[in-house]
Amino acid sequence: MLVRAITAPGLRRWCRGRRGAAAACFPLGRALLGVRGADAAVFLQGLLTNDVTQLVAPGDAPPALYAHALNVQGRCLYDVILYRLHRSPAEEPHLLLECDSSVLDSIQKHLKLYKIRRKVTIAPCPELSLWAVIPGEQPGDSSSLPKCADPALILTPDPRAEVMGWRLIAKKGANLSEIIPGSQVGDVQDYHRHRYKQGIPEGVKDLPPGIALPLESNLAFMNGISFTKGCYIGQELTARTHHMGVIRKRLLPVAFPEPLPAAGIPEGADILTESGKPAGKFRAGGGELGIALLRLAHANEPLCINLGEDRVKLKATTPQWWPKAAAK
């Protein structure tokens, strides 16, 4: 596999604007699948919410795309990020698919079920490592962030939101200090806390398979869906919801202002208003931060979760990176 680097000038300017904040590299427990062959993009096009053909189009093709794979009822099965490995449209399409490692076997079965006679090979890539790279607040020189990325296979802006920094894919054992000089390896829990603070869902805890709906999960805000690409599995309900323009619930970041019970907050716990009205469900979290599916009508009210004799208060916020009036 050819080693190359993808530069990120927009995010480099962003880092400079943060006055030398040092970058933190977080090792992610996500899996990578190689999808390669003449029909790779066309094959994935019918299974994912985004327009995968962009990755093999001539001209200024994006290096990465975010998308969901849905079931026939239009509910999320897998959240994925696709990366382009081939250099030009003249080369054989070669894509990497990032997914939750706990569903690696099931997503392979899902893909092979629809492969039929497509000219595509699908195989895990255990020789590669995946990192999230997020500029921090500590002093350091980040202006050279993408400049020395020769050992990187891929270094690209996270396609979901600018606040999520970069995605880095390298060979296992690669020296990160050569890829991103001055960077530090961070605790992956800090990465998840950053995600929750920004309201970015990732993996099966945040997006329960067969339960989460893509538009309630803010897929459109995270550049993860095309409403013009044509048919794909689960497209009918998603398109109808979009064109009706009524989304009553959304995933929102939540914070707990008081110390949590020793056992923490169970995933799927009911969230109530102070008067006891159902307001939503807690999905997952880390420490005092988390993410929850909330009714927008109650999102700005005082909220709580009843855990036996404990009444745990929480507060929801609207991420600053969302489009204006998105929570209306």
Side-chain angles (χ1 to χ4, degrees), residues 220-221 250 296 318-328:
F221 295 169
R250 286 193 181 274
L296 295 178
T318 300
Q320 292 184 355
W321 59 269
W322 275 19
K324 292 181 179 179
K328 290 184 178 180

Side-chain angles (χ1 to χ4, degrees), residues 49 66 68-79 201-219 222 234 237-238 249-251 281 283 291-293:
T49 56
Y66 178 58
H68 285 185
L70 309 180
N71 62 16
V72 293
Q73 289 80 31
R75 296 181 181 271
C76 178
L77 289 177
Y78 315 105
D79 63 305
E202 184 177 287
V204 297
K205 290 186 177 181
D206 300 344
L207 300 164
I211 296 175
L213 287 166
L215 298 185
E216 289 183 352
S217 304
N218 307 320
L219 187 63
M222 295 186 289
L237 175 63
T238 306
K249 293 183 287 184
R250 286 193 181 274
L251 282 181
K281 297 277 188 181
R283 285 281 174 82
I291 196 166
L293 181 68

Side-chain angles (χ1 to χ4, degrees), residues 2-315:
L2 188 61
V3 175
R4 66 190 180 93
I6 297 177
T7 60
L11 286 178
R12 183 162 65 238
R13 290 193 297 271
W14 178 47
C15 273
R16 287 195 184 117
R18 292 168 67 98
R19 299 185 180 276
C25 300
F26 300 98
L28 301 183
R30 305 259 293 170
L32 292 167
L33 274 175
V35 183
R36 186 170 193 168
D39 296 335
V42 175
F43 165 61
L44 293 173
Q45 181 78 341
L47 300 177
L48 299 176
T49 56
N50 216 335
D51 186 359
V52 184
T53 61
Q54 295 179 73
L55 293 174
V56 296
D60 190 19
L65 285 177
Y66 178 58
H68 285 185
L70 309 180
N71 62 16
V72 293
Q73 289 80 31
R75 296 181 181 271
C76 178
L77 289 177
Y78 315 105
D79 63 305
V80 304
I81 298 179
L82 295 174
Y83 304 92
R84 187 186 73 247
L85 277 179
H86 57 279
R87 292 190 174 194
S88 73
E91 296 182 35
E92 179 183 65
H94 189 182
L95 308 176
L96 283 180
L97 184 150
E98 171 196 330
C99 65
D100 190 311
S101 59
S102 69
V103 299
L104 178 60
D105 290 341
S106 61
I107 198 171
Q108 287 185 84
K109 292 177 183 177
H110 179 76
L111 294 176
K112 290 176 181 178
L113 176 66
Y114 292 96
K115 179 183 171 184
I116 312 177
R117 295 183 179 86
R118 299 282 191 187
K119 296 178 180 178
V120 176
T121 58
I122 303 165
C125 302
E127 75 281 5
L128 300 180
S129 60
L130 174 68
W131 301 77
V133 183
I134 298 176
E137 299 295 345
Q138 301 301 317
D141 179 14
S142 67
S143 62
S144 62
L145 185 54
K147 291 183 181 177
C148 301
D150 290 342
L153 192 69
I154 288 178
L155 178 61
T156 182
D158 189 310
R160 297 172 296 183
E162 187 178 22
V163 293
M164 291 306 297
W166 290 261
R167 261 348 201 213
L168 166 66
I169 298 174
K171 297 281 183 141
K172 278 193 174 173
N175 189 340
L176 289 184
S177 64
E178 293 180 5
I179 300 175
I180 305 175
S183 64
Q184 299 177 350
V185 176
D187 184 339
V188 71
Q189 294 306 317
D190 290 335
Y191 165 77
H192 292 305
R193 285 168 54 83
H194 176 73
R195 280 200 306 106
Y196 290 134
K197 186 176 181 180
Q198 301 297 338
I200 301 286
E202 184 177 287
V204 297
K205 290 186 177 181
D206 300 344
L207 300 164
I211 296 175
L213 287 166
L215 298 185
E216 289 183 352
S217 304
N218 307 320
L219 187 63
F221 295 169
M222 295 186 289
N223 311 303
I225 188 167
S226 169
F227 295 108
T228 59
K229 61 172 280 185
C231 295
Y232 56 89
I233 294 175
Q235 181 259 350
E236 184 178 353
L237 175 63
T238 306
R240 185 165 65 244
T241 303
H242 168 68
H243 291 300
M244 288 175 62
V246 179
I247 300 174
R248 294 185 172 87
K249 293 183 287 184
R250 286 193 181 274
L251 282 181
L252 290 168
V254 295
F256 299 92
E258 300 174 359
L260 297 176
I265 306 297
E267 296 163 11
D270 291 325
I271 299 176
L272 307 173
T273 66
E274 281 192 328
S275 62
K277 293 181 179 179
K281 297 277 188 181
F282 180 74
R283 285 281 174 82
E288 77 280 10
L289 300 174
I291 196 166
L293 181 68
L294 294 172
R295 297 179 185 276
L296 295 178
H298 301 306
N300 295 322
E301 299 179 28
L303 302 172
C304 65
I305 296 174
N306 291 330
L307 299 175
E309 297 180 356
D310 293 321
R311 186 180 178 90
V312 181
K313 296 180 180 180
L314 67 154
K315 178 179 176 56

